[in-house]
Amino acid sequence: TRECYSSTSICGYSFEKGSIIQPDLLSLHYNIDLWGPEDPNDFVPERHAVKRHPMAWIPFGVGPRNCVGMRFALTELKMILVRLLKTYSIINCGE
């Protein structure tokens, strides 16, 4: 959550000084302007062929508050790869 330090208006939404602002990711992930013209609730794989802004889909968050599980998973994959390369030998089987 964030606290608004001065009264302001952004895109028609007004925020009063001292109000608590919570980022609403569901409104971003289901925005018809970003994910349309089909209904964003429907599964349409073709919609992902379009290049979008990298911040249009942020399930793990961004910046200093992003999900620690993402970094943990990448570290775990690297450890598995090192273990496999250490345990097994790669040989040439010919052509």
Side-chain angles (χ1 to χ4, degrees):
T1 59
R2 312 285 166 109
E3 183 178 345
C4 187
Y5 290 115
S6 63
S7 298
T8 186
S9 177
I10 301 172
C11 297
Y13 296 100
S14 58
F15 301 98
E16 298 301 320
K17 180 179 179 178
S19 63
I20 302 296
I21 303 169
Q22 293 186 346
D24 189 7
L25 291 180
L26 286 179
S27 65
L28 176 66
H29 291 172
Y30 291 96
N31 188 341
I32 197 155
D33 295 331
L34 289 172
W35 301 100
E38 300 89 4
D39 183 16
N41 294 314
D42 293 337
F43 179 67
V44 182
E46 292 79 27
R47 83 173 75 218
H48 299 289
V50 177
K51 184 76 174 165
R52 288 189 175 77
H53 191 277
M55 301 304 274
W57 177 248
I58 48 175
F60 295 107
V62 293
R65 296 180 180 203
N66 75 346
C67 179
V68 296
M70 183 173 57
R71 188 178 345 178
F72 175 71
L74 290 174
T75 304
E76 205 171 38
L77 284 172
K78 291 175 188 176
M79 290 173 57
I80 290 170
L81 181 62
V82 168
R83 178 71 183 225
L84 284 173
L85 292 174
K86 191 176 175 182
T87 306
Y88 297 100
S89 300
I90 299 174
I91 59 171
N92 186 2
C93 295
E95 294 179 9

